[in-house]
């Protein structure tokens, strides 16, 4: 039988809408030109439906114009430090405190500047602004006298290039770092103006503590009715289901847990309909699993030496009875080096390398919600059990008994 044309068109529209939504979740800032231009066109085509869905279910505004599409994502948890800004290069090193400060100073200078800027001129303005007494009192010192300071500024600029705030006209950042040249950029002012994802201007925030200032930046209107409180909970829970690897019940308030218990089917169905993520519901929480395995910024398992060591430590932690210490894990890595070191890089087997290897593994496991870390203690979380390997079972000929297999997450 021939499929009616309306069904074909509806299926095509649904597929395009899902692809557009996934593109925004993966890259909340999409540019009209560049490697993601096809995704931008899809988002622009379905902007009305996407804007309505995100506003109703997450409270994230979506702005689309001829140059860019910007989903103003606010995290479900403001206290999660496991997904930092990272270098645009291959190493993808996380931003340090100084780089975050330089990023803010560079954005402020670009906002006040012209349509074009040279890196040297931008650096001079950043140095001038970094001399502010408040920054100096906070321990921030930036003079460009040292190579590591110029590397930090270059890392900030490369991130702005990746985001589309700057467009390189001539020159090279590496030449600037070595003192052999300068770089000229066009400033994409409309992209720059849409970069800040807050509900109020930072200059209006008066809270005294860091956590208080973060909360004020994204605070919603007063929740003075049951309907508004329920809407706020629906949005908060949907954000966490979309953004967090695992939503654990023990991290919720009593009111949030009661609401999720009643509305879990509705919330997860809405997410599945738009994004294709599939709910995995367990006694301890909910994870939205991605069958396509591309809506994640941290992969597990992963190839290479670090991926192999992380997986081996994960299997070790999954069988641990209670908390372990980083010292325990360093000793475990030394043991693993003698057993599996033939598959590792040369530097990973050098004496003393286990400290850095353990820290990299723990950073990944924390980001995936598989462990909690307090000081020197590491406690496995329930989702880590999926990486446990059971005892091998020897099958007799023609036996119907099946050997248990490790179950891996497609999205963490």
């Amino acid at each position: 039988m021939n499929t009616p044309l309306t069904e074909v068109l509806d299926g095509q529209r649904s597929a395009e809408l899902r692809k557009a939504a996934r593109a925004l979740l993966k890259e909340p800032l999409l540019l009209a030109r560049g490697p993601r231009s096809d995704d931008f066109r899809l988002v622009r085509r379905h902007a009305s439906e996407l804007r309505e869905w995100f506003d109703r279910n997450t409270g994230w505004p979506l702005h689309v114009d001829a140059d860019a599409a910007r989903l103003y994502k606010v995290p479900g948890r403001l206290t999660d430090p496991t997904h930092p800004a990272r270098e645009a290069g291959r190493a993808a090193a996380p931003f340090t405190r100084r780089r975050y400060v330089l990023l803010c100073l560079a954005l402020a200078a670009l906002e006040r500047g012209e349509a074009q800027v040279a890196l040297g001129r931008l650096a001079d303005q950043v140095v001038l602004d970094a001399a502010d007494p408040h920054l100096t009192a906070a321990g921030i010192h930036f003079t460009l006298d040292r190579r590591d300071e110029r590397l930090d500024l270059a890392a900030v600029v490369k991130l702005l290039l990746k985001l589309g705030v700057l467009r390189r006209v001539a020159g090279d950042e590496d030449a600037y770092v070595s003192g052999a040249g300068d770089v000229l950029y066009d400033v994409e002012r409309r992209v720059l103006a849409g970069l800040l994802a807050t509900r109020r201007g930072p200059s209006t925030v008066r809270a005294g503590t860091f956590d208080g200032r973060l909360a004020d930046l994204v605070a919603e209107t007063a929740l003075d009715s049951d309907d508004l409180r329920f809407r706020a909970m629906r949005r908060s829970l949907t954000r966490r289901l979309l953004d967090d690897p695992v939503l654990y019940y023990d991290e919720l308030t009593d009111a949030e847990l009661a609401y999720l218990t009643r509305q879990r089917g509705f919330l997860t169905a809405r997410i599945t309909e738009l994004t294709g993520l599939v709910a995995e519901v367990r006694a301890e929480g909910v994870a939205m699993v991605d069958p396509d395995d591309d809506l994640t910024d941290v992969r597990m398992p992963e190839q290479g030496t670090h991926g192999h060591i992380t997986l081996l430590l994960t299997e070790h932690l999954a069988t641990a009875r209670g908390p372990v210490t980083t010292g325990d894990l360093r000793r475990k890595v030394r043991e693993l080096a003698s057993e599996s070191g033939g598959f590792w890089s040369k530097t990973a087997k050098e004496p003393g390398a286990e400290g850095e290897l353990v820290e990299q593994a723990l950073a990944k496991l924390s980001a995936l919600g598989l462990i909690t870390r307090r000081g020197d203690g590491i406690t496995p979380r329930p989702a880590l059990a999926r990486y446990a390997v059971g005892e091998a079972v020897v099958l007799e000929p023609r036996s119907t008994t099946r050997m248990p297999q490790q179950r891996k997450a497609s999205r963490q």
Side-chain angles (χ1 to χ4, degrees):
M1 296 177 61
N2 293 328
T3 304
L5 179 61
T6 54
E7 291 185 21
V8 173
L9 294 176
D10 286 346
Q12 181 179 351
R13 175 195 152 279
S14 297
E16 286 187 353
L17 183 63
R18 175 172 294 183
K19 186 176 181 180
R22 290 172 65 91
L24 280 173
L25 291 173
K26 193 171 184 179
E27 295 285 347
L29 176 58
L30 294 171
L31 305 182
R33 55 185 171 188
R36 305 297 300 277
S37 58
D38 289 344
D39 290 333
F40 166 80
R41 284 191 286 272
L42 275 181
V43 170
R44 194 175 187 193
R45 185 180 306 161
H46 298 281
S48 178
E49 292 166 282
L50 291 167
R51 188 179 295 114
E52 190 279 332
W53 194 97
F54 282 115
D55 178 68
R56 174 175 174 77
N57 294 284
T58 65
W60 294 337
L62 173 62
H63 176 76
V64 182
D65 59 28
D67 297 318
R70 178 70 165 108
L71 181 63
Y72 291 92
K73 293 178 66 178
V74 175
R77 291 184 299 160
L78 298 178
T79 57
D80 180 12
T82 60
H83 299 272
R86 294 185 177 273
E87 287 182 357
R90 185 175 181 180
F95 264 36
T96 60
R97 179 171 180 256
R98 185 168 68 182
R99 287 186 178 184
Y100 276 118
V101 173
L102 293 179
L103 175 61
C104 294
L105 293 178
L107 290 172
L110 292 172
E111 180 65 29
R112 300 191 302 266
E114 303 296 331
Q116 281 193 330
V117 65
L119 180 50
R121 184 174 180 82
L122 177 62
D124 291 340
Q125 186 60 56
V126 168
V127 169
L128 183 64
D129 292 342
D132 183 283
H134 293 89
L135 291 177
T136 302
I140 299 298
H141 303 282
F142 187 73
T143 62
L144 282 180
D145 292 338
R146 303 194 311 270
R147 177 180 172 83
D148 65 297
E149 293 180 318
R150 296 193 295 275
L151 283 170
D152 282 346
L153 184 60
V156 166
V157 168
K158 289 177 181 178
L159 177 62
L160 295 178
L161 285 166
K162 180 182 178 182
L163 292 173
V165 175
L166 297 177
R167 195 157 52 88
R168 190 186 297 110
V169 176
D172 178 78
E173 290 78 25
D174 293 336
Y176 171 81
V177 170
S178 62
D182 207 342
V183 196
L184 180 65
Y185 306 102
D186 284 336
V187 181
E188 301 292 342
R189 305 201 66 81
R190 296 178 74 171
V191 179
L192 171 64
L195 206 59
L196 193 61
T198 63
R199 289 195 171 89
R200 56 187 294 186
S203 61
T204 67
V205 172
R206 295 290 181 266
T209 65
F210 177 72
D211 290 342
R213 291 195 293 272
L214 278 182
D216 284 352
L217 281 172
V218 297
E220 299 189 39
T221 55
L223 306 178
D224 53 2
S225 71
D226 287 342
D227 286 345
L228 289 177
R229 283 189 285 272
F230 289 148
R231 184 187 69 177
M233 279 190 283
R234 180 180 70 243
R235 287 176 168 180
S236 176
L237 291 168
T238 303
R239 291 173 198 159
R240 295 189 62 177
L241 287 168
L242 285 170
D243 263 359
D244 294 354
V246 185
L247 175 60
Y248 288 110
Y249 297 144
D250 61 9
E251 295 175 343
L252 303 177
T253 66
D254 291 341
E256 288 173 331
L257 181 57
Y259 183 86
L260 180 59
T261 301
R262 296 193 307 269
Q263 300 293 330
R264 184 180 62 205
F266 170 77
L267 294 177
T268 56
R270 292 280 288 173
I271 293 173
T272 299
E273 180 184 14
L274 180 73
T275 67
L277 301 177
V278 179
E280 181 178 310
V281 181
R282 299 290 181 179
E284 301 86 1
V286 183
M288 299 302 299
V289 179
D290 182 15
D292 295 334
D293 191 29
D294 78 335
L295 281 186
T296 182
D297 57 347
V298 181
R299 295 196 174 278
M300 177 75 181
E302 192 176 39
Q303 294 182 347
T305 297
H306 293 301
H308 187 208
I309 293 172
T310 300
L311 187 58
L312 292 174
L313 288 179
T314 302
E315 293 174 356
H316 172 68
L317 286 167
T319 58
R321 298 183 180 276
V324 300
T325 66
T326 52
D328 297 331
L329 295 181
R330 285 194 289 269
R331 286 188 290 274
K332 183 62 179 179
V333 170
R334 287 194 291 270
E335 294 175 11
L336 292 170
S338 62
E339 302 170 5
S340 307
F343 302 100
W344 298 359
S345 65
K346 182 178 179 181
T347 55
K349 294 179 285 186
E350 293 177 353
E354 62 272 7
E356 181 181 353
L357 295 171
V358 167
E359 289 301 318
Q360 290 181 344
L362 293 180
K364 176 169 289 191
L365 297 180
S366 295
L368 293 172
L370 299 177
I371 62 169
T372 55
R373 187 176 183 182
R374 291 182 177 87
D376 193 47
I378 297 98
T379 304
R381 296 291 278 154
L384 193 75
R386 65 175 58 196
Y387 293 97
V389 177
E391 294 294 330
V393 177
V394 179
L395 301 181
E396 297 295 335
R398 298 184 180 179
S399 171
T400 58
T401 305
R402 302 178 65 183
M403 184 171 67
Q405 297 179 350
Q406 177 186 351
R407 191 188 181 294
K408 298 178 181 177
S410 58
R411 175 183 184 265
Q412 278 296 320

